[in-house]
Amino acid sequence: MPALLALAALLLLGLFSTEVDDPDFWWHLKTGQFIVTEHRLPVPDPFTYTTASAAPVSADEAATRYFNLTHEWLAQVVWYLIYSAGGFPAVVLWKALLLTILCACTGWVAWRRTGSAMWGLAAALAAAALATEFDRDRPGILSYVFTAGFLAIFESRQGESRRGESRRRLWLLPVLSVIWANCHGGFFLGWIVCGAYAAEALLRRAPDVRRVLLMSGLTVVFSGLNPNGYAALATVLRYRRSPLQATLIEWSRADLWGSPYAFDLLLYGAALALLLSWKRVRPADWILFAAFAGASITAFRNEMLIGLLAPLLIAAYFPWKRRLPSQAQLAAVFLLTGGLAWGCATGRFFQLRAAEWRYPAGAAAFMTEHATGAPLFNTYEYGGYLIWKGQRVFIDGRALSESVFQDYRTILAAPPNDAARAALLAKYGIGAIVVNAFEYNAGTLYPLVLALADWKLVYEDPQALVFVRDLPPGMPVLDASRLYDHLDAECRLHVEHDPDLPGCARTLGDYFLRTGDRARARRALELYLQHPYPGDTDARRAYMQLMQ
């Protein structure tokens, strides 16, 4: 069994060792560097020039801005120190270790509940199936890990009160709550876990009920020792009312009726297991499932809460579990070994690098070499990377100003000759623009890219375009026709690396058809049809006509 568990841990480490590709990672890293070198929190915002000029429209926005600048400071420092010590390989392995611990906590509780190591292993792998959707290098994953850890600590006290183990372990809760509250604003999830187990202890008149209530109360009290006190829950409620946050995928509602995936299967499986065994379900399990299911349905970012809870509930309560034969361990060894070998052979495991192909590395170097001194406009997804490279940006993923975000959307998405765009570019004094051409989830082409006829194209590579209004001495100018070669190259680069999102090629095919460039239209549609969305007969028909 120890060898099997070690093999499972290695498989999970490999599974979660994916390249650094989250656009928010870069500003988290830069913030950690700022705190370490400046010995203070990043208030006021040191990285965007728009924040200072954009007065908060309300007290709510001012509070949210301060929260977004400060609530993850400790995690950002840790990420930066890990990067300083070991570069991107260390960052990747740190993330993989955190998610492996999360799955291990779920598996350990399932093992403890069922008495079966194999069911515990199955629960850990089930949690991993959904955790792969959340393997981002950002502090938010710590809230999932701490939640799983709190569950494991409370579960460790079952049947152990007489021996004193629960006393020692429950003391961990208030200590961990202080660390959690300075790493991420989701620390109030710990209150929910404490509340569920405290309610159960009261209902069942547990022998250690006083200790559970005391440690739970101290956990809530100690978690207020952070730059924002207890404002995290109020901030989350403000997020729900924010037009800016409403555009972000992480705050979208769960898709319960589309193509099923790990979240749906775990949610429905846990609900079925609880209903089938309702007479013996513990009160804490009802409370936690209700709270986590409700949170997961209302926001995609919360779905991992079901990922860490549902596997252990299914393992504990599903009534038709059979005793696994002795050969099950041997079969598990072969399956885990095969999965590990496949992941390593295909290069999907242990990707100890950053996915800099996604980001404007060349453009950032160009801007550093040819500093214009003029304010910069950038796309939202490139803001974090440009911050890391020392640029002061227009916008980034920290979501600090509602008014700046609305102006950003107008500049980026208004029709090519829209007067509002020109007025906003003048308002902010923008003299340089660093952009990518597509929003890849939807496959749309940003209208701004086609609206800069009066600007000079001074740099392009498959990742980015750089335009300037007034040409500084010594800066080269590129032929404007290179824009169209860039569109093809950028889309092709992303489809090759991310073949599940080929929509940009479909958009390009339509665009070049409208402009009469049949050769580029044919190439774009050919690329799209190699990775098609289901049932797109219009694209195939258009491609066949071009081939004729």
Side-chain angles (χ1 to χ4, degrees):
M1 183 55 66
L4 179 62
L5 296 179
L7 187 60
L10 188 60
L11 175 75
L12 292 175
L13 283 171
L15 179 67
F16 296 128
S17 292
T18 52
E19 61 186 3
V20 178
D21 69 350
D22 190 286
D24 288 348
F25 164 77
W26 305 102
W27 60 259
H28 282 302
L29 194 61
K30 189 67 174 182
T31 302
Q33 181 189 54
F34 180 91
I35 296 170
V36 169
T37 57
E38 299 294 325
H39 309 292
R40 64 183 179 88
L41 296 176
V43 180
D45 172 28
F47 304 132
T48 65
Y49 65 87
T50 53
T51 305
S53 62
V57 297
S58 66
D60 279 357
E61 184 176 323
T64 300
R65 182 181 297 180
Y66 183 84
F67 180 83
N68 287 344
L69 287 169
T70 58
H71 76 105
E72 299 166 309
W73 74 270
L74 181 56
Q76 290 162 334
V77 166
V78 170
W79 249 270
Y80 175 69
L81 294 176
I82 289 171
Y83 170 79
S84 299
F88 291 119
V91 170
V92 171
L93 290 174
W94 170 241
K95 171 194 67 180
L97 178 62
L98 289 175
L99 292 173
T100 299
I101 291 172
L102 182 157
C103 296
C105 288
T106 293
W108 181 83
V109 174
W111 183 352
R112 190 175 183 85
R113 289 278 196 99
T114 63
S116 167
M118 294 302 296
W119 283 115
L121 177 61
L125 295 177
L130 185 54
T132 55
E133 300 288 334
F134 297 89
D135 58 347
R136 300 291 183 262
D137 297 271
R138 56 167 67 182
I141 64 174
L142 288 168
S143 279
Y144 308 138
V145 177
F146 279 114
T147 301
F150 270 42
L151 287 171
I153 290 170
F154 273 111
E155 287 294 324
S156 70
R157 55 178 274 279
Q158 299 298 320
E160 293 185 343
S161 299
R162 294 180 181 178
R163 299 200 301 272
E165 284 88 344
S166 79
R167 180 181 304 174
R168 293 196 298 270
R169 289 172 181 165
L170 289 179
W171 270 108
L172 290 171
L173 298 173
V175 174
L176 291 176
S177 72
V178 177
I179 300 172
W180 187 354
N182 288 279
C183 286
H184 189 254
F187 64 87
F188 59 84
L189 293 170
W191 304 352
I192 297 174
V193 177
C194 288
Y197 282 95
E200 180 177 85
L202 285 169
L203 290 171
R204 291 188 163 188
R205 299 181 180 179
D208 61 345
V209 61
R210 292 184 178 179
R211 188 174 300 118
V212 171
L213 294 175
L214 174 62
M215 292 301 104
S216 296
L218 289 176
T219 296
V220 174
V221 171
F222 281 27
S223 64
L225 301 175
N226 69 82
N228 296 278
Y230 298 105
L233 188 56
T235 301
V236 169
L237 297 177
R238 287 194 293 268
Y239 281 166
R240 305 302 305 180
R241 301 191 298 267
S242 164
L244 192 164
Q245 298 291 340
T247 67
L248 303 181
I249 293 176
E250 61 186 284
W251 289 103
S252 61
R253 291 184 177 274
D255 181 8
L256 299 176
W257 313 112
S259 300
Y261 68 112
F263 169 71
D264 299 310
L265 298 176
L266 290 173
L267 178 69
Y268 301 145
L272 181 61
L274 292 174
L275 291 173
L276 290 173
S277 303
W278 65 273
K279 289 184 178 181
R280 60 187 184 94
V281 174
R282 289 168 38 187
D285 293 335
W286 283 120
I287 296 170
L288 289 172
F289 181 75
F292 289 176
S296 298
I297 291 170
T298 57
F300 170 78
R301 64 180 295 155
N302 296 327
E303 289 184 5
M304 192 57 221
L305 298 175
I306 286 296
L308 61 89
L309 177 68
L312 64 90
L313 295 181
I314 294 170
Y317 294 120
F318 208 76
W320 298 302
K321 298 190 302 292
R322 293 188 178 184
R323 184 178 182 86
L324 296 174
S326 57
Q327 294 84 359
Q329 286 193 28
L330 183 60
V333 168
F334 279 112
L335 289 173
L336 293 175
T337 302
L340 184 60
W342 172 83
C344 292
T346 58
R348 302 192 181 200
F349 287 10
F350 300 109
Q351 300 175 21
L352 308 181
R353 60 184 181 270
E356 291 200 69
W357 64 269
R358 289 186 181 271
Y359 301 105
F366 179 87
M367 293 298 294
T368 300
E369 181 181 356
H370 300 277
T372 65
L376 172 71
F377 180 85
N378 59 278
T379 43
Y380 187 87
E381 54 266 42
Y382 277 1
Y385 187 87
L386 291 170
I387 286 174
W388 172 242
K389 291 299 183 178
Q391 300 292 324
R392 293 197 76 201
V393 301
F394 185 91
I395 197 168
D396 63 89
R398 293 172 299 165
L400 298 179
S401 170
E402 297 280 354
S403 62
V404 168
F405 182 70
Q406 295 306 322
D407 289 346
Y408 164 79
R409 294 180 69 178
T410 300
I411 293 172
L412 191 67
N417 297 318
D418 193 273
R421 174 189 285 115
L424 287 171
L425 291 173
K427 170 188 172 182
Y428 289 102
I430 292 168
I433 296 175
V434 178
V435 293
N436 50 304
F438 299 95
E439 198 291 309
Y440 285 94
N441 288 309
T444 53
L445 175 64
Y446 291 137
L448 173 66
V449 174
L450 304 176
L452 298 173
D454 296 334
W455 291 61
K456 285 83 173 177
L457 177 63
V458 295
Y459 180 87
E460 71 88 15
D461 62 16
Q463 285 83 10
L465 297 156
V466 178
F467 296 89
V468 297
R469 181 184 292 280
D470 300 314
L471 195 68
M475 183 175 286
V477 180
L478 305 181
D479 191 301
S481 65
R482 290 183 61 172
L483 169 64
Y484 306 106
D485 294 328
H486 169 86
L487 296 179
D488 179 76
E490 182 185 325
C491 179
R492 192 170 296 275
L493 173 72
H494 277 262
V495 173
E496 288 173 355
H497 283 86
D498 201 352
D500 292 334
L501 296 174
C504 64
R506 182 71 167 92
T507 298
L508 271 188
D510 287 343
Y511 172 74
F512 287 131
L513 277 173
R514 291 196 306 271
T515 58
D517 193 334
R518 294 174 60 86
R520 283 194 172 100
R522 179 182 57 79
R523 289 197 299 270
L525 289 175
E526 182 177 40
L527 176 64
Y528 173 73
L529 290 170
Q530 292 170 357
H531 315 83
Y533 290 145
D536 197 341
T537 56
D538 290 341
R540 184 165 297 280
R541 186 182 303 112
Y543 176 71
M544 295 305 296
Q545 290 174 353
L546 289 169
M547 291 296 292
Q548 294 171 4

